[in-house]
Amino acid sequence: MSLPKRIIKETERLVADPAPGISAVPHEDNLRYFDVTIDGPDGSPFEKGKFKLELFLTEEYPMAPPKVRFLTKIYHPNIDKLGRICLDILKDKWSPALQIRTVLLSVQALLSAPNPDDPLATDVAKHYKENEKDAQRVSQEWTQKYAK
Amino acid sequence: MSDMSDDNDYYSDEDMFDGTQDEDESGDEMELDNFGDDFKVPAKDKKKSYEVDYDSLSQQAVEKLMARDINHICSILGVEVDTASLLLRDQKWNKEKLIEKYMDNPTKVSVDAGATLPETGPPPPAPLRNSTSSSSQSSNRRTTRGSKMLGLGPKTKSPTSSPTISHHVPQSLKRASSKKAEDFFVCQICFNDAPNLQTLALDCDHAFCTECWGDYIVSKIKEESEHSIRCMAEGCALVAPDHFIRDTLLPAPGAPVGDVERESQNIAAWTRFQELIVRHFVGCNRNLKFCPYPSCTNTVSCPSAASKASLASTVPIVSCGARGIGPQDQEISKSQQLGFGLQGKEHRFCFGCPIESDHRPVICAVSKMWLKKCADDSETANWIKSNTKECPICQSTIEKNGGCNHMTCKKCKNEFCWVCMGPWSEHGTAWYSCNRFDEKAGVDARDAQSKSRASLERYLHYYNRWANHEQSAKLSVDLYAKTEKKMEDMQITSALTWIEVQFMKKAVEEVEKCRTTLKWTYSMAYYLAKGNEKELFEDNQRDLEKAVEDLSELLESPIEPDTIPTLRQSVTNKTVYVQKRNEIVLEDTANGFLEGRWKWNVAVDGFDDPEETVL
């Protein structure tokens, strides 16, 4: 099946005009599959980290959201140990007007602002709620250890 | 009920076979178109105490109810039909709540429902294209009537070159106001920038191409079963009104035939969309319940069973009026049809609980409790507890089925005493009796064990009979087939006509019905507190059971040509008798609920807790 115009255009723009701290490169053999790198935002416990993600555009895209997953281990209340992300726009708040770029920017924003009230990794969320300082210290440690 | 016929006697179903219909079926022609004779609900002149008043409604009839509510809101709030529909859907079809809230703050209610744009919000970002001049008006309007379909002319040509792009273009569309710059349009979903691209937008003026709108709406309806479909633009909360969805999905009359597959998919989505709204309406209304049978779209209205309190005294068994599975019975093969009974089973279900069959005479709370008890493994555990012990060394479960108390575990070869569970070696020469057990403790332990056993036996008594009747009812499928064969034989061997041999079929149906009643009487009896009332109940139960078994036997008996007239006589008599007994059980139980006569041996919702003495 040929690639829809939407995906071609988006890919062109991502390459030509990448968002700061984000790169997304499609696989040569599968243009719906992207290798993504997101830099940990400054001022967050993930600062200086380089996080690898995978992003896949399903057959239904853009009517259905892309599938996004962290490949780098990360200590974050909304990201579980399999790398799955709890983010509303990737689920029920998805709009076809959103794009790969906006999705990745939202993921980056999630790193700056963890939301322990809507957790995916419950143990991490508990840690964040009970002792935020200590939890951030662990997040920092993990970033230094895994996200190089 | 509107389409009631006067059939209070035993041959009430006959007109189904000779094709006569009731006179007053003018009620809803749509229903009859779909279901023909099958759309008859067994009707009675006078309501029996074990029956509830209910109405069966087709999807069209429910749509009429919805339209009535919508028109009511239109006239009171002075809004248009589609807006009223969105407002009602958002307020879960609660008219009073909607009117109250709307009077309080119309803007908020309307914006929350996605019917209008927030008035003070920032102007909607028009993607790559200025909005038409009507946008400033439309954003202030309280309706979503003005969804627009814009056909953009080719870039190089004058913008007024194609004034009649499609039937969607409303008269008010101000093509003349568009400027040159607007003609360059790229759909932000598919990035299609072809000239002549047809676009659609809600009042928010977020325009996207028609094809994307179609795909989006279809995917929302098909994948998410969503009836509230919001604008595709990110963060825009405007909901597409019904006419917008219809215009997008249904091809314009006289429009050139496009992609056939796509069009049929769109039409299916539109049908589904209407069904989703009906389901939402039914789901929000306590007086209504959707028929749970597969692919049936009927609804039953039963206001008398809408409150939880009423379920403590009535068993609201209703029937949507349709029979069989699927809208067309013809598609079902003959053998399958036999499986559902000769005509396909009536869609009979309980209005008050999720049980998809008749559970009279027992009220919902008790039948639910009973089913849970039967489904639970707790009873198996109960049996194990009363019949087995564990080897003190390897914990294997052992059932002692005879012999002396000197046990040798098959698995670990441990020898122990069944009475005290201690090692056998310590028993010395007291071979056949164990006197080491503390006397008091021994009595207690035996008491506990026999008590548990007694309760188990009691449960099994009721359960076996319950299961037996269920099994027999299932076997009635075979009985149906056998009966049909017999009916054919009878026509050959005697002078009886086909209609005259229907007594056999009627008898089988009656047996099956009574077995269902009997089945549930056992779950009722299990929970009934001891006393005179229970004894009377069990007397009625016994009479019905005996009558049913007699009739059952008669139906199974071989047919001899010379005995057919007598057989017919006695089957007919017995059928009438069985029917009477069944009525007595149902009637008496139902009256008992109304009079508050029944007492339970467990706590049941809506009843006083059982007294200590009956436990």
Side-chain angles (χ1 to χ4, degrees):
Chain A
M1 204 186 130
S2 71
L3 213 56
K5 192 167 183 175
R6 152 102 182 214
I7 296 180
I8 296 169
K9 283 260 169 136
E10 268 201 69
T11 311
E12 280 170 7
R13 283 191 205 170
L14 275 171
V15 174
D17 175 26
I22 294 175
S23 88
V25 185
H27 269 215
E28 263 175 38
D29 52 347
N30 184 355
L31 294 170
R32 288 175 174 272
Y33 187 89
F34 290 74
D35 286 324
V36 178
T37 314
I38 294 181
D39 294 346
D42 291 349
S44 76
F46 309 101
E47 193 176 343
K48 301 239 156 53
K50 282 202 179 303
F51 294 91
K52 282 199 184 350
L53 296 90
E54 57 178 2
L55 182 146
F56 181 69
L57 306 174
T58 60
E59 199 61 53
E60 288 78 33
Y61 183 83
M63 295 311 158
K67 301 206 178 301
V68 193
R69 195 171 75 91
F70 268 84
L71 296 174
T72 308
K73 262 172 90 80
I74 182 166
Y75 196 79
H76 189 287
N78 307 102
I79 299 159
D80 73 0
K81 58 183 173 190
L82 296 176
R84 295 177 299 193
I85 307 165
C86 179
L87 187 60
D88 56 355
I89 59 154
L90 290 177
K91 301 196 171 77
D92 54 320
K93 290 284 173 344
W94 170 253
S95 145
L98 289 165
Q99 301 185 0
I100 301 175
R101 173 198 297 272
T102 40
V103 165
L104 295 179
L105 283 169
S106 299
V107 172
Q108 197 181 34
L110 188 67
L111 296 185
S112 304
N115 178 10
D117 291 324
D118 183 19
L120 188 59
T122 41
D123 46 336
V124 182
K126 205 170 154 223
H127 196 184
Y128 257 86
K129 279 187 103 157
E130 281 167 4
N131 188 348
E132 197 177 346
K133 276 251 156 61
D134 191 56
Q136 284 177 341
R137 182 189 54 77
V138 178
S139 292
Q140 234 161 5
E141 267 177 33
W142 282 39
T143 306
Q144 283 159 14
K145 208 166 160 190
Y146 302 109
K148 274 181 248 170
Chain B
M1 294 191 50
S2 60
D3 54 349
M4 282 190 163
S5 63
D6 175 20
D7 48 8
N8 43 18
D9 66 1
Y10 159 65
Y11 282 109
S12 59
D13 275 350
E14 239 184 35
D15 43 5
M16 210 130 70
F17 306 108
D18 60 26
T20 54
Q21 291 186 0
D22 304 311
E23 283 79 16
D24 61 5
E25 284 180 332
S26 52
D28 198 327
E29 287 188 340
M30 298 297 246
E31 298 168 356
L32 293 169
D33 285 345
N34 289 342
F35 298 104
D37 275 355
D38 292 343
F39 208 85
K40 285 203 317 175
V41 181
K44 301 280 181 282
D45 269 342
K46 263 180 264 153
K47 188 178 79 106
K48 303 247 166 58
S49 57
Y50 57 86
E51 288 173 336
V52 285
D53 275 324
Y54 65 92
D55 261 315
S56 177
L57 307 166
S58 66
Q59 182 167 333
Q60 289 87 347
V62 178
E63 276 166 3
K64 270 188 208 158
L65 289 180
M66 279 166 47
R68 205 185 58 198
D69 281 4
I70 290 170
N71 287 330
H72 183 70
I73 291 299
C74 287
S75 60
I76 289 190
L77 304 184
V79 293
E80 289 186 50
V81 171
D82 277 356
T83 313
S85 172
L86 290 180
L87 294 176
L88 276 167
R89 266 142 69 183
D90 187 55
Q91 296 294 330
K92 305 211 184 317
W93 296 92
N94 188 334
K95 283 189 284 182
E96 288 72 32
K97 205 172 107 197
L98 168 62
I99 293 167
E100 195 179 302
K101 280 193 170 182
Y102 195 88
M103 293 305 176
D104 206 32
N105 189 347
T107 321
K108 186 178 181 304
V109 171
S110 192
V111 169
D112 283 352
T116 44
L117 293 164
E119 278 181 40
T120 49
L128 290 181
R129 190 179 64 92
N130 292 332
S131 47
T132 55
S133 62
S134 63
S135 72
S136 55
Q137 298 159 7
S138 65
S139 60
N140 284 332
R141 267 183 299 167
R142 213 157 269 152
T143 72
T144 51
R145 211 27 214 282
S147 73
K148 285 167 283 290
M149 178 153 187
L150 305 176
L152 294 178
K155 272 187 270 185
T156 50
K157 287 184 188 164
S158 125
T160 51
S161 63
S162 50
T164 52
I165 283 153
S166 89
H167 75 294
H168 298 293
V169 182
Q171 299 281 328
S172 60
L173 192 61
K174 290 175 182 151
R175 297 269 325 149
S177 68
S178 39
K179 291 173 202 146
K180 270 256 159 84
E182 294 163 16
D183 287 344
F184 180 74
F185 178 81
V186 180
C187 171
Q188 286 305 294
I189 305 298
C190 62
F191 289 153
N192 194 341
D193 55 0
N196 269 332
L197 192 66
Q198 299 202 359
T199 68
L200 289 167
L202 299 176
D203 271 2
C204 51
D205 278 325
H206 296 127
F208 304 100
C209 79
T210 318
E211 202 165 302
C212 283
W213 267 113
D215 288 349
Y216 173 69
I217 291 171
V218 169
S219 93
K220 279 278 176 194
I221 293 170
K222 248 175 80 176
E223 310 298 331
E224 297 173 39
S225 296
E226 187 58 73
H227 60 81
S228 168
I229 297 172
R230 304 202 318 186
C231 169
M232 283 199 278
E234 190 204 346
C236 181
L238 212 59
V239 176
D242 293 0
H243 80 268
F244 181 88
I245 289 167
R246 186 187 57 230
D247 289 352
T248 312
L249 293 180
L250 299 188
V257 178
D259 185 344
V260 178
E261 197 185 318
R262 192 188 178 86
E263 271 177 19
S264 67
Q265 184 182 303
N266 283 358
I267 291 169
W270 170 246
T271 314
R272 174 82 178 136
F273 176 73
Q274 289 169 298
E275 196 186 312
L276 287 172
I277 294 181
V278 168
R279 278 184 184 264
H280 184 245
F281 176 76
V282 170
C284 291
N285 192 329
R286 291 187 71 96
N287 293 342
L288 300 177
K289 191 169 170 176
F290 222 73
C291 174
Y293 282 73
S295 67
C296 184
T297 55
N298 288 338
T299 299
V300 166
S301 156
C302 183
S304 56
S307 74
K308 209 167 174 211
S310 68
L311 294 180
S313 58
T314 46
V315 187
I317 300 302
V318 298
S319 161
C320 87
R323 277 170 181 264
I325 306 288
Q328 269 108 35
D329 269 357
Q330 303 92 283
E331 286 174 16
I332 299 169
S333 70
K334 178 95 180 167
S335 60
Q336 267 179 305
Q337 263 194 41
L338 279 176
F340 303 125
L342 292 179
Q343 246 88 54
K345 267 230 164 64
E346 203 181 2
H347 292 184
R348 191 180 275 277
F349 57 97
C350 178
F351 194 87
C353 68
I355 296 177
E356 290 179 16
S357 62
D358 192 342
H359 64 76
R360 280 180 300 202
V362 197
I363 54 164
C364 299
V366 174
S367 41
K368 192 174 144 200
M369 206 154 61
W370 172 256
L371 287 181
K372 187 166 180 296
K373 186 173 178 66
C374 294
D376 275 359
D377 275 346
S378 60
E379 290 308 327
T380 313
N382 210 346
W383 185 89
I384 291 171
K385 199 176 147 215
S386 24
N387 292 285
T388 68
K389 288 182 180 179
E390 267 96 53
C391 166
I393 303 294
C394 72
Q395 311 303 324
S396 302
T397 308
I398 296 167
E399 181 191 2
K400 181 169 153 43
N401 57 0
C404 70
N405 293 327
H406 180 180
M407 306 299 291
T408 307
C409 174
K410 260 203 159 156
K411 211 170 154 196
C412 68
K413 309 290 178 215
N414 170 44
E415 293 178 48
F416 64 96
C417 168
W418 182 257
V419 180
C420 69
M421 301 306 283
W424 190 253
S425 54
E426 288 176 14
H427 281 61
T429 52
W431 291 110
Y432 293 104
S433 67
C434 173
N435 57 359
R436 289 157 40 86
F437 211 61
D438 177 73
E439 201 171 296
K440 175 91 168 57
V443 170
D444 283 356
R446 276 193 293 282
D447 270 4
Q449 180 141 2
S450 65
K451 207 173 171 187
S452 148
R453 188 163 302 158
S455 99
L456 178 70
E457 270 167 18
R458 184 171 169 281
Y459 165 72
L460 286 177
H461 169 91
Y462 291 103
Y463 178 75
N464 285 336
R465 279 154 187 78
W466 189 82
N468 178 39
H469 283 297
E470 181 165 77
Q471 182 64 14
S472 300
K474 275 185 190 149
L475 289 175
S476 69
V477 174
D478 295 341
L479 198 55
Y480 261 130
K482 269 193 236 161
T483 308
E484 200 166 46
K485 180 83 178 51
K486 265 186 201 173
M487 291 195 297
E488 279 166 20
D489 288 349
M490 273 191 231
Q491 285 169 67
I492 297 162
T493 54
S494 72
L496 295 170
T497 64
W498 193 71
I499 287 177
E500 282 172 308
V501 295
Q502 291 306 313
F503 73 91
M504 284 296 272
K505 185 180 165 287
K506 180 69 196 173
V508 171
E509 279 182 352
E510 201 57 49
V511 165
E512 197 201 345
K513 210 164 106 189
C514 293
R515 284 205 187 279
T516 314
T517 311
L518 275 171
K519 185 176 95 171
W520 287 102
T521 56
Y522 281 104
S523 85
M524 173 125 175
Y526 179 76
Y527 289 113
L528 273 182
K530 274 191 208 122
N532 281 342
E533 300 299 344
K534 184 179 181 181
E535 270 171 35
L536 285 173
F537 178 80
E538 287 185 324
D539 284 350
N540 282 332
Q541 182 190 39
R542 188 197 55 218
D543 289 345
L544 174 60
E545 187 154 51
K546 184 163 185 318
V548 169
E549 296 304 341
D550 282 354
L551 179 58
S552 233
E553 205 181 321
L554 214 52
L555 290 174
E556 303 263 5
S557 64
I559 297 178
E560 307 296 339
D562 46 326
T563 60
I564 284 179
T566 17
L567 182 69
R568 183 179 185 219
Q569 190 59 45
S570 54
V571 167
T572 310
N573 285 343
K574 280 241 159 35
T575 310
V576 175
Y577 179 64
V578 161
Q579 205 173 23
K580 280 264 155 60
R581 297 289 354 159
N582 192 30
E583 295 239 310
I584 290 172
V585 170
L586 292 176
E587 190 104 19
D588 181 64
T589 324
N591 286 333
F593 282 119
L594 294 174
E595 295 158 12
R597 212 191 312 146
W598 307 119
K599 299 266 181 291
W600 307 104
N601 54 24
V602 285
V604 176
D605 268 359
F607 287 83
D608 299 336
D609 279 347
E611 294 155 37
E612 284 297 317
T613 50
V614 300
L615 282 173

